[in-house]
Amino acid sequence: MNSSTDHSSTPHLFLHAQFETPSAYDEATRTNTNQESGTSVTSTPTTVIERHCFDVSNCQEAVIGLGKSVEPIKPQPGDYTYSGMHDHGPLPLPKEGGQFAQLIGFVNAAKKASDRYLTELIEREKMLAAAKKATGGVEGDGDTKQQKSKRKRGAAKS
């Protein structure tokens, strides 16, 4: 039996990622699940938790070596990406496919999801900061943070 075509003994590979960040907004607990992407989002007034499951159903295998028609070149000093070239000439072609290519594909997908999530979080925080700046830092009761701080210091002295 050829082991390259027999996948019955190959374990099902997957990668779970969870992003947990402080919530920048106040709303009731909610959970949304996107069945297609395997994403689950739960948020509370204090945290946002986003869970992802990466597997062969939603991730491509990574290309380990250079793409087709890409010539090996000597990398610049400090460049650690795969270039196909060593100090003394071209490297042999790496083995493509298999479980390591799957795992690398899962990690690449997790990195993209993390980047997307953090970008959304940063943009939301920028919008909240801009809105707060537009209102002059006024809190819910009409006082600025400086006014509240001054009142607290005055109360502590008495």
Side-chain angles (χ1 to χ4, degrees), residues 40-97:
S40 170
V41 179
T42 303
S43 60
T44 65
T46 56
T47 60
V48 174
I49 300 170
E50 186 168 327
R51 294 179 182 91
H52 294 267
C53 181
F54 303 99
D55 60 21
V56 295
S57 71
N58 60 8
C59 296
Q60 296 180 345
E61 284 186 354
V63 174
I64 307 298
L66 298 173
K68 296 181 192 308
S69 75
V70 176
E71 293 293 319
I73 58 168
K74 187 171 181 177
Q76 296 294 320
D79 182 4
Y80 299 106
T81 58
Y82 182 79
S83 66
M85 185 73 74
H86 192 269
D87 292 342
H88 304 290
L91 293 166
L93 295 175
K95 179 183 173 191
E96 295 289 345

Side-chain angles (χ1 to χ4, degrees), residues 73-133:
I73 58 168
K74 187 171 181 177
Q76 296 294 320
D79 182 4
Y80 299 106
T81 58
Y82 182 79
S83 66
M85 185 73 74
H86 192 269
D87 292 342
H88 304 290
L91 293 166
L93 295 175
K95 179 183 173 191
E96 295 289 345
Q99 291 181 329
F100 288 115
Q102 283 182 345
L103 287 173
I104 293 169
F106 301 163
V107 170
N108 289 341
K111 182 186 180 309
K112 286 179 185 174
S114 174
D115 290 349
R116 203 170 34 250
Y117 179 75
L118 291 173
T119 299
E120 289 173 11
L121 182 69
I122 290 166
E123 293 301 318
R124 185 171 56 225
E125 287 179 351
K126 282 182 184 177
M127 287 183 353
L128 288 171
K132 192 172 188 178
K133 186 176 182 181

